Amino acid sequence: MGLELSQLHNLLLTPLAAISIGHLPPAVSAYLKCPLGIAYLSSFSLTHILRKHPDVSMMDMLCLPAMIKSGLWVADKRGCACVFYVHPETAKQYKSAIKAAGGGYETYISTFHRCNDRQRQSIVSRGGILV
């Protein structure tokens, strides 16, 4: 499943909308107790990410499907997991969090930002690696 820049632009223009980003790995889906295992990005979350993290562009966010598929997943608070990803072309490291919603049937990306090795190690040491 791919993600296009036009999808992100349309999401910004459409309040109360969401787009599917990809399928969660089975271990993450089980941890979040979300049998459907589909990760969504809402217009609210996209707006939040772009406002709170000005160093992240929508171009950076195009790596979200690859991040969901092959990132390092770490258990976080109940109903929440973190994923870390190093972009293969730019070597930039990103962190995202995903939360279960809708009675456990939907999962939404709640944040996406740059991170460093120290931040990743801190979170990995607190939670268990899922995938």
Side-chain angles (χ1 to χ4, degrees):
M1 185 176 291
L3 181 62
E4 295 178 2
L5 197 54
S6 63
Q7 290 175 287
L8 295 175
H9 280 287
N10 288 336
L11 188 58
L12 269 180
L13 298 173
T14 312
L16 304 177
I19 57 173
S20 169
I21 299 297
H23 293 276
L24 300 173
V28 177
S29 184
Y31 172 76
L32 294 173
K33 297 180 176 79
C34 184
L36 295 179
I38 300 172
Y40 294 96
L41 176 65
S42 70
S43 57
F44 178 82
S45 290
L46 178 57
T47 302
H48 160 80
I49 291 165
L50 294 173
R51 281 189 185 146
K52 188 165 183 184
H53 305 288
D55 61 323
V56 171
S57 71
M58 285 197 282
M59 288 294 288
D60 293 322
M61 296 180 75
L62 294 178
C63 74
L64 276 170
M67 183 182 212
I68 299 295
K69 182 179 179 182
S70 61
L72 172 67
W73 285 93
V74 179
D76 202 2
K77 301 175 254 182
R78 185 175 165 211
C80 186
C82 294
V83 59
F84 295 93
Y85 181 75
V86 178
H87 195 283
E89 294 172 8
T90 64
K92 292 180 182 176
Q93 189 169 187
Y94 299 100
K95 175 194 175 233
S96 187
I98 194 160
K99 293 181 180 180
Y105 284 96
E106 297 174 336
T107 57
Y108 285 91
I109 295 169
S110 59
T111 192
F112 175 88
H113 55 87
R114 302 263 319 261
C115 71
N116 59 40
D117 290 336
R118 184 188 57 77
Q119 292 166 325
R120 186 186 74 231
Q121 285 304 107
S122 174
I123 291 171
V124 168
S125 69
R126 286 183 288 173
I129 293 177
L130 298 171
V131 178

